[in-house]
Structure formats: C-alpha cells, structure tokens
Amino acid sequence: MQDHTSSVSLDNAIALQKYGVGLPVRRKEDDTLVRGKGKYTDDFNLPGQAYAWIVRSSHAHGIIRGIDTVAARAMPGVLGVWTGTELAAAGYDPFTCALPLKNRDGSPLLQTGRMPLMTDKVRYVGDAVAFVVAETLAQARDAGEAVVVDIDPLPAVTRAEDAAKPGAPQLYDHIPDNVALDYHFGDAARVDAAFASAAHVTRLDIVNNRIAVVAMEPRAALASYDKASERYTIQVPTQGVSGNRNMLARNMKLSPDKVRILTANVGGSFGMKNINYPEYMCILYAAKVLGRPVKWTDERSTSFLSDSQGRSQTIHAELALDAEGRFLAVRVKGYGNLGAYITGVAPNPLTLSIAKNLPSLYRTPLVSIDIKCVLTNTTHLGAYRGAGRPEANYYMERLVDRAAAEMGINPLTLRKRNFIKPAQMPFSSASGFVYDSGDFRGLLDKALEISDYANFNRRKKESRKRGKLRGIAVGCYLEVTAPPSGELGKITFEPDGSVKLTTGTLDYGQGHATPFAQVLSAQLGVPFEKITLEQNDSDLVRFGNGTGGSRSITATGTAIVESAALVIAKGKQAAAHLMEAAEDDIEFAQGRFTIAGTDRSIDIMELAQRLREGTMPEGVPSSLDVDHNTKETPSTFPNGCHVAEVEIDPDTGVIRVVRFTAVNDFGTVVNPMIVAGQLHGGVAQGIGQALMEEVRYDEGGQPITGSLMDYALPRAEDIPQVAIDDHPVPARSNPLGTKGCGESGCAGGLVTLVNAVLDALSEFGITEIEMPLTPERVWRAIRDAKSKAA
C-alpha cells in the first residue's frame, strides 16, 4: 500500500484524457484484422475432420418422389449420404418463429415448421434435400452432384400480392392463400375518421425491394461431438453465442448445457447470422454418427440461395393532413414477402417494427398498419440492417415530401410544423412508446448548415451547365431500438493483471472491445490497455441477448456501469479491512480507494492482487470479481437528419451521389470514430438498396440475381464523402445516456437518396420511380416523361 495518491491520480487522469468516454480511440482489433491475422470460422480445423456438401433443389416448387443416393454412397472418400428421412428419425424439432405475433382476429401466426432437410416437397430453389460427408471437400461435392432427386414440378409464385390471390399455387395445405400472418395495428375506426375529416390526403404505392445480405464472410460451421459427455460443439459465426446456443439446443431437443457454440471473428452479418440454419443441424448429426468433426463452408453462389434476405414489401401508404399541413394520421396497407419458410424473427420487420417506427419524430396522433405476411417460392426472409426501421422511415419520409409538393408547402416547413418539440418530452407516440429526449428542429438546422443547403441552387445551375440534373433532399428519422432485455456484465480481475469483461453481446464488425473498455476504464479507473473482452464462448457467456437492434452499447454499457458499482462496493469492504478503517470512510475515485480526509489509499489493481494473494476473514470479499445480469434495459430512440445531393446524367440515367450529410442524436457517444464507421456502413447499404441492389426471380421461381455477376453492390467509387456531426441529447433511460447507432445510416440514408433523385427528376414531372433507381429505370422514366410532354 503506497501513499502516492497525487501521482497515481494524475496518471489515471491522463489515461482518461486518452481513453475516456467520448474520445476517438482506435479499435483494439484493427491491427490484427488489417494485417490479415483475424480468424474466421473457415480458418478453424480439427484433427480428422471431414467435409459436408449440401444437395439443393433446382426447382422452386415440387413434390419429392424419390432421392437416389446409391451412386453417391459408392464414390471415393464418401463417409455418408443422408436425406430428410434419417434426420427426421433423429427427432429434431422444426425451425419456427418464437415471436408472439397474432393475426387481426387474435389467433397466432401460422408456422411453416421447417425441417433441416425436406422429405415431401421443395418450396424454393436452394431448398436442402440431402447432404454428403466425405474425406475431402472435392469428394463431397462430386458425390453431392451424383445424388439424383426426383421432383415433380409444381407452379411457383414469387410475388406476395400474387401468392395471396385465389387460385395461386399453395405452399402449405394448412396455410390458406399462403397468408401466414394477417397483421393489424392501431385503431382503424379513429384513423378512418381522421382521413375522412382531412383537408388533404397523400397516397403512394411503394415497393421496398428485396435485398441479399452478401456479408464478406459466407456462413460456415465446424461441428464435433464428444461421446463421453454426450456434448456437441460447433464453431459458427453468430451475433451472440448464448442465444444461438439456446436456439440450437431447442431444435435438437437438448438441454443447453449439451451444446457449446464458439464464435471467432465474424465478417459481417446484418441480422442474417443470428438464426439457426439447416446446414448446422446436418453437420452436427453427421459428427455424432461418424464420430469425427465435420466442416461445412458455404460458397457465394449458394449464399444467394440459402442465406436469409431482407426488406421485400409492397405497400400502399397514406398521410392525412389538415389545411395547414399538420399530420392527422398515417396508415400503411400491403404485403410482406416471407419467402418459403418462417424462421427467426422473419415477420417482425414486416409488421411490428413498421408499427413501432412509422410515427417517427412527428406529432402524428394516429397510426394504422395492415400487412399480410405471405409465403412465396423464394428464399426465406430475415432481419437485415434495421429490420423494419429503414422501411418505416422510408414510407413516412416519402409521404412527407410528396405531401409537401402536393400542398405547395416547403418540405422543410412541413417537417418543422410537425416535429415533436423538446418541451413536449417525454412524448407518447402513436406507436405506444414514450420518447424520452430529442431536439429534432436543432438536428435539422445543423444539417442544413453543414450541407450548405442554402446554396444548393447555385450548385444546381453549375450542374445544368454541364448537362446534368441535380437534386437535393432532407430525410429525418427516429428509430425504436431493440426491445427491452437484460445483459451480462461479468468483470474478472485475472492473475496476470488484466481485467476481463464478459458480456452476451457479440462483435461482428462493430468494434466492441474499444468502447466497452472505455466505459469500464472510466467507471473503475483500471488501465484501458489491461481490459480484455470475452463474448465468443457459450460456456463462458452463460447469459446474453446478442448484438442486434442497435442495443450493444446501451445493454452492455448498462451492465458495465451496474457491475462496476458492485466492484466498487466490494472494493470498499476490502480496502476498509486492509487499511483498518471504517467502510463508510472509504471513498473511490479514479481507480483508487482512499480513507476520507487522508492520503492513505490503495489502487484498485493492487487491491485485486492483494485479495488474490491473501486470505480474507469472513465478511470481507476474497476478490473484486462480479458476475451480474442487468434487468431489462429499455429501448432507446436514436434520431437524426440526413441531407443527400445527387447529380444525374439524363442521357444515360447514371446517378452520382455527390454530397451526403448526416447529423445524428445518438445520446452519449462513447467513441465517435466507431460511430462514424457505423454511419458510413449504413449509408453505403442505403446507397446499395436505393440505387442498385435487388433480388429478382423469373416467373418459374428461378433466381436471376444469383451471383455477383448479376447482383450489383456499391463500390468505393459509388460512396461519397459523408459529413458527420452530432447533436446529442442524452437518453434518460440508461446510465450512460446512449441511444444506439448501428442501423441509423440505413434509416436516414435510404429515403434521403431516393427523394433527392425524385427532386432532380421533378422538372420532367416525374414523381414516382421504384427502387433500385438503376440507370435503365431512370433513363426510361425520363424518356417516357419526354414522350408524354411531346
């Protein structure tokens, strides 16, 4: 124990100036990843491992008459070939949707009950029907191609609105008209009355195009089985090991302790890797039967078939306004395309998330949602960055810009007139949520200033001189983040002098290690560089709700703050004993426990070491370690204002995004550099969906965008410099005041880009164009408008 409080306190203060909350500290993992030293699932191997290949249907819809595996079984290196019959005998439970979503009549949604391998019918191109395991991947592939699947083709349907029509091909006998969920939210009678009394109603038909996830790292898995313990282990990329272990164990009818999930570096997910998939069940089964590890790695071409996809809605949206342009009610009706199966949270982005987010940051008093979630002969739907938030914001902001044009009101004026005001916080929204904070007018004003909105007409004239069209748009958004949930905050002072934080969120590209360490260092004064993060082993992460819905910094941040308080409480007890003082006289600040009014103190790291080395009497903690679960941390409400500026070549339809500004309220920003990276990624995905990305099928259900030769992704040259600024109003619902940021780039960027293009095309009288705004679609819209004018 040393009496050098002043010098150590100074060191701690300097460290906090370098690594404290709010500072752009470099990500801990970047050096490893940039140098190619990261380890992803396919980098792992086990002695004696075999390789799996999945046999998939080439038909979008059909009856399975037989599967001939005789030739495949006889091929060199083949260890086994299995069909759905064998896996059904294993007694696995089907994949279902666990969300308590109900139809408008109160009945639960109709489950599809997907099994790992199909035995009776195939329902989309890529449906898994068998799998092969062999000594090498090449042998498994060759044998997979020798499996003969006899399928009687059936008519297919790929559009939700077509699938719900009488006489359409039926995917399931127990799901009439292919409608698995007829969802309703809101008081329809009051909404109808508001529309009846409105001075003006704006109406739009909107297609929210289907998106392929295309994560950098394809899905992969390495499974093994220990006969002695009857325990499975699987290395697989996830968004949270604890929750995914529970899902996997449930499907296998096992207790969670019989399954271990390991996740290393993850090359992107965006919601797609957070569910159980047939391939994992197959290789776990084979690992037990063969008594050796089995590995499977997807290829890009089959990723387009087997990975869950996103968005996929056809909507009729309406906004009712009074004579002054004040919003009276908003309603959306339409269809959501679930694909062939319902798993994970699939219906949620199409229904409940729309209801939560549609009111946005406006004083819209009434909301009504009517969505039919329909099954089609396409790849199954899942969460995709934002999972309903960008969709809802897209509908609302499209309505606002159109209403402004129809009523002759400046779109900025219309937004200002309907913003919720700071003095009205907390505000009960029509979605049933209570917004706790926000300054939406301040966000708009700052975004207009940074984007140089006032001088747009000068830039437009310059573009016109070069034969180009120029457009600008402002897009506001407010998101309701992930539902309230608890989180693990385990803090362990290790013998080597490090401090390990264990939590149930999981970093799949966000950079958790650095901001979490910043928060923990600020709370306890432990050295930033001594903090390590454990998220990747379900044996160690006993509880957690994973990463998703922009929850990580709020959920784990809350867990860190609460756990740190427990560490301090234990530390005061221990320090009081070691320094022979009353516990009430012990104070804690900047990593040191001090006897009040004296210079006698002990550093937290030294205290942890003393406790490890000594034997404490009864009533005195033997360590500073804490293993704590938070209670439910409420949803938060990140919001912002984005400004996009585009330039269009009218002769080719090519769009260039020339300026983009994003001003956001994420509450307390722990690490602005990481937040900026999240914004850049979200805006890039917004550009992708708005301008080029779309999953498409032909009339027979065959995918025609099944590779990167046919499916366009934005490249570096498509992404502009993004001007980012903050206008924070800390949340009141969590101790750090954070609001989440991971999906906001999509929420604000998508609609802002589309509205900017429509602004540029407005001189031709063009008011509608479907995403993606490809050069062909833009060129055709201009050509058709010119023809009508002539």
Side-chain angles (χ1 to χ4, degrees):
M1 209 171 346
Q2 305 270 335
D3 290 338
H4 53 279
T5 306
S6 58
S7 62
V8 175
S9 297
L10 180 60
D11 291 341
N12 285 339
I14 293 172
L16 288 175
Q17 289 177 7
K18 186 176 181 181
Y19 300 115
V21 170
L23 298 177
V25 181
R26 286 193 175 187
R27 304 195 325 169
K28 289 188 171 192
E29 69 272 28
D30 279 353
D31 182 72
T32 297
L33 296 179
V34 170
R35 293 175 184 271
K37 296 179 181 179
K39 289 200 73 175
Y40 298 83
T41 298
D42 191 52
D43 294 321
F44 289 85
N45 297 284
L46 292 173
Q49 73 186 25
Y51 296 83
W53 181 263
I54 308 297
V55 181
R56 303 183 184 278
S57 171
S58 59
H59 294 276
H61 199 194
I63 304 294
I64 299 175
R65 297 302 183 190
I67 302 176
D68 186 351
T69 63
V70 173
R73 292 177 191 275
M75 294 181 71
V78 173
L79 301 171
V81 183
W82 294 275
T83 67
T85 301
E86 289 91 349
L87 264 69
Y92 295 151
D93 268 353
F95 304 143
T96 58
C97 173
L99 297 175
L101 293 168
K102 295 185 182 300
N103 289 285
R104 63 173 59 248
D105 63 5
S107 61
L109 71 91
L110 297 173
Q111 300 281 358
T112 56
R114 181 184 191 181
M115 297 302 291
L117 298 175
M118 295 301 104
T119 58
D120 58 342
K121 199 176 187 185
V122 294
R123 295 177 173 87
Y124 75 102
V125 174
D127 219 347
V129 295
F131 76 103
V132 178
V133 176
E135 296 286 356
T136 70
L137 177 58
Q139 290 171 332
R141 184 202 302 265
D142 288 345
E145 292 174 352
V147 174
V148 179
V149 185
D150 182 10
I151 296 175
D152 279 351
L154 293 171
V157 61
T158 61
R159 289 161 47 93
E161 53 269 43
D162 293 337
K165 293 176 180 177
Q170 295 295 291
L171 274 71
Y172 298 88
D173 293 339
H174 70 286
I175 304 180
D177 299 324
N178 298 309
V179 178
L181 177 66
D182 185 5
Y183 179 84
H184 173 74
F185 175 89
D187 187 329
R190 291 183 64 200
V191 170
D192 290 346
F195 271 86
S197 66
H200 181 82
V201 175
T202 289
R203 298 178 175 88
L204 285 174
D205 290 312
I206 302 173
V207 175
N208 207 309
N209 41 319
R210 178 176 279 237
I211 300 298
V213 176
V214 202
M216 286 193 296
E217 177 202 24
R219 286 190 300 112
L222 175 60
S224 61
Y225 177 75
D226 182 71
K227 187 175 181 180
S229 63
E230 299 182 329
R231 195 162 189 257
Y232 295 87
T233 299
I234 184 167
Q235 180 90 39
V236 61
T238 70
Q239 292 182 202
V241 292
S242 179
N244 278 271
R245 173 204 58 201
N246 295 342
M247 283 191 289
L248 196 57
R250 183 169 57 248
N251 286 131
M252 298 180 73
K253 292 186 177 179
L254 298 171
S255 60
D257 64 297
K258 291 299 182 181
V259 178
R260 182 188 188 190
I261 285 187
L262 301 170
T263 294
N265 293 124
V266 180
S269 173
F270 313 110
M272 179 265 291
K273 293 174 181 172
N274 204 32
I275 59 173
N276 193 8
Y277 282 87
E279 297 87 355
Y280 309 156
M281 307 292 285
C282 291
I283 65 170
L284 285 162
Y285 173 87
K288 180 179 180 179
V289 171
L290 297 174
R292 59 192 289 187
V294 179
K295 185 175 186 177
W296 169 80
T297 302
D298 212 355
E299 296 185 346
R300 186 62 66 187
S301 57
T302 44
S303 291
F304 274 99
L305 301 178
S306 63
D307 293 349
S308 66
Q309 298 175 349
R311 311 296 191 230
S312 202
Q313 277 190 309
T314 306
I315 292 296
H316 179 72
E318 298 177 316
L319 179 64
L321 307 93
D322 67 14
E324 286 73 41
R326 293 181 179 86
F327 302 164
L328 301 177
V330 60
R331 62 187 176 195
V332 297
K333 300 179 180 180
Y335 299 90
N337 192 334
L338 289 168
Y341 300 99
I342 305 174
T343 59
V345 299
N348 194 61
L350 304 172
T351 56
L352 182 59
S353 284
I354 303 296
K356 287 181 178 181
N357 291 274
L358 190 64
S360 191
L361 35 61
Y362 303 111
R363 297 188 307 275
T364 312
L366 294 169
V367 170
S368 177
I369 314 290
D370 290 281
I371 304 289
K372 289 185 177 181
C373 295
V374 184
L375 294 154
T376 65
N377 297 115
T378 63
T379 298
H380 58 102
L381 197 76
Y384 177 72
R385 196 172 195 164
R389 301 171 189 87
E391 293 95 314
N393 190 69
Y394 184 68
Y395 307 146
M396 191 66 185
E397 291 296 289
R398 286 289 310 278
L399 285 168
V400 172
D401 260 29
R402 171 61 74 83
E406 291 176 348
M407 297 184 73
I409 302 174
N410 184 289
L412 302 181
T413 302
L414 187 61
R415 287 178 169 86
K416 293 174 186 177
R417 195 168 291 170
N418 287 281
F419 279 153
I420 301 163
K421 299 175 182 179
Q424 294 173 308
M425 298 291 182
F427 182 86
S428 296
S429 76
S431 62
F433 287 85
V434 178
Y435 303 161
D436 65 309
S437 57
D439 175 17
F440 309 136
R441 173 67 183 269
L443 280 166
L444 175 63
D445 290 343
K446 183 176 280 191
L448 295 176
E449 178 184 356
I450 294 172
S451 65
D452 193 25
Y453 189 94
N455 290 311
F456 168 74
N457 285 332
R458 176 178 55 79
R459 297 190 294 275
K460 184 171 184 175
K461 290 178 181 178
E462 291 171 355
S463 294
R464 190 181 298 278
K465 289 178 182 177
R466 293 182 284 106
K468 302 294 192 294
L469 309 172
R470 200 176 187 103
I472 193 169
V474 168
C476 298
Y477 74 90
L478 180 143
E479 297 182 282
V480 182
T481 62
S485 57
E487 194 48 73
L488 173 65
K490 182 178 179 182
I491 298 172
T492 308
F493 289 79
E494 302 282 18
D496 64 0
S498 65
V499 180
K500 182 168 70 176
L501 169 66
T502 306
T503 186
T505 54
L506 195 142
D507 175 4
Y508 50 91
Q510 292 87 349
H512 287 178
T514 301
F516 290 179
Q518 288 176 263
V519 174
L520 183 56
S521 179
Q523 294 295 313
L524 292 181
V526 297
F528 172 87
E529 63 276 5
K530 295 286 188 181
I531 299 172
T532 63
L533 179 62
E534 173 60 61
Q535 299 179 303
N536 308 88
D537 184 344
S538 66
D539 278 2
L540 301 176
V541 183
R542 57 172 177 74
F543 168 78
N545 283 286
T547 292
S550 299
R551 73 180 294 272
S552 293
I553 192 59
T554 300
T556 291
T558 297
I560 292 171
V561 171
E562 291 183 3
S563 298
L566 296 175
V567 170
I568 293 168
K570 293 179 73 173
K572 287 183 176 181
Q573 285 183 282
H577 169 74
L578 290 175
M579 293 191 291
E580 300 179 340
E583 184 179 336
D584 290 345
D585 290 336
I586 302 298
E587 298 176 341
F588 180 80
Q590 295 186 340
R592 296 193 72 79
F593 296 93
T594 303
I595 301 175
T598 75
D599 59 0
R600 296 183 60 205
S601 67
I602 184 170
D603 178 77
I604 190 171
M605 300 299 287
E606 181 185 350
L607 177 58
Q609 182 179 349
R610 291 279 298 275
L611 294 178
R612 278 194 302 271
E613 295 172 348
T615 301
M616 296 297 112
E618 186 177 350
V620 177
S622 59
S623 78
L624 297 182
D625 298 350
V626 165
D627 190 348
H628 172 66
N629 290 355
T630 66
K631 295 181 180 179
E632 291 187 345
T633 302
S635 301
T636 59
F637 309 100
N639 56 88
C641 180
H642 293 189
V643 183
E645 207 164 316
V646 300
E647 195 174 68
I648 302 173
D649 184 341
D651 296 327
T652 63
V654 171
I655 299 168
R656 193 164 63 94
V657 185
V658 291
R659 296 167 74 100
F660 198 97
T661 302
V663 178
N664 305 278
D665 171 12
F666 297 139
T668 300
V669 174
V670 174
N671 188 313
M673 182 177 67
I674 288 178
V675 168
Q678 288 292 295
L679 259 295
H680 291 154
V683 169
Q685 287 179 293
I687 290 173
Q689 182 178 359
L691 303 186
M692 59 194 74
E693 295 187 54
E694 184 179 29
V695 174
R696 299 184 67 185
Y697 296 85
D698 68 14
E699 291 183 359
Q702 290 291 331
I704 55 177
T705 51
S707 76
L708 291 175
M709 296 294 290
D710 309 296
Y711 186 90
L713 289 174
R715 304 186 179 198
E717 64 184 6
D718 300 309
I719 312 300
Q721 290 292 323
V722 180
I724 294 174
D725 206 342
D726 298 313
H727 189 72
V729 183
R732 302 172 186 174
S733 56
N734 65 83
L736 289 177
T738 57
K739 293 184 177 179
C741 70
E743 292 149 316
S744 297
C746 278
L750 181 65
V751 70
T752 313
L753 289 160
V754 172
N755 279 343
V757 172
L758 289 171
D759 179 63
L761 297 176
S762 62
E763 63 184 76
F764 296 107
I766 298 170
T767 59
E768 278 305 306
I769 186 168
E770 288 185 6
M771 293 189 296
L773 310 182
T774 61
E776 180 190 7
R777 284 183 177 174
V778 173
W779 175 81
R780 287 186 183 278
I782 294 172
R783 183 199 63 179
D784 293 347
K786 287 181 176 179
S787 298
K788 288 180 182 178

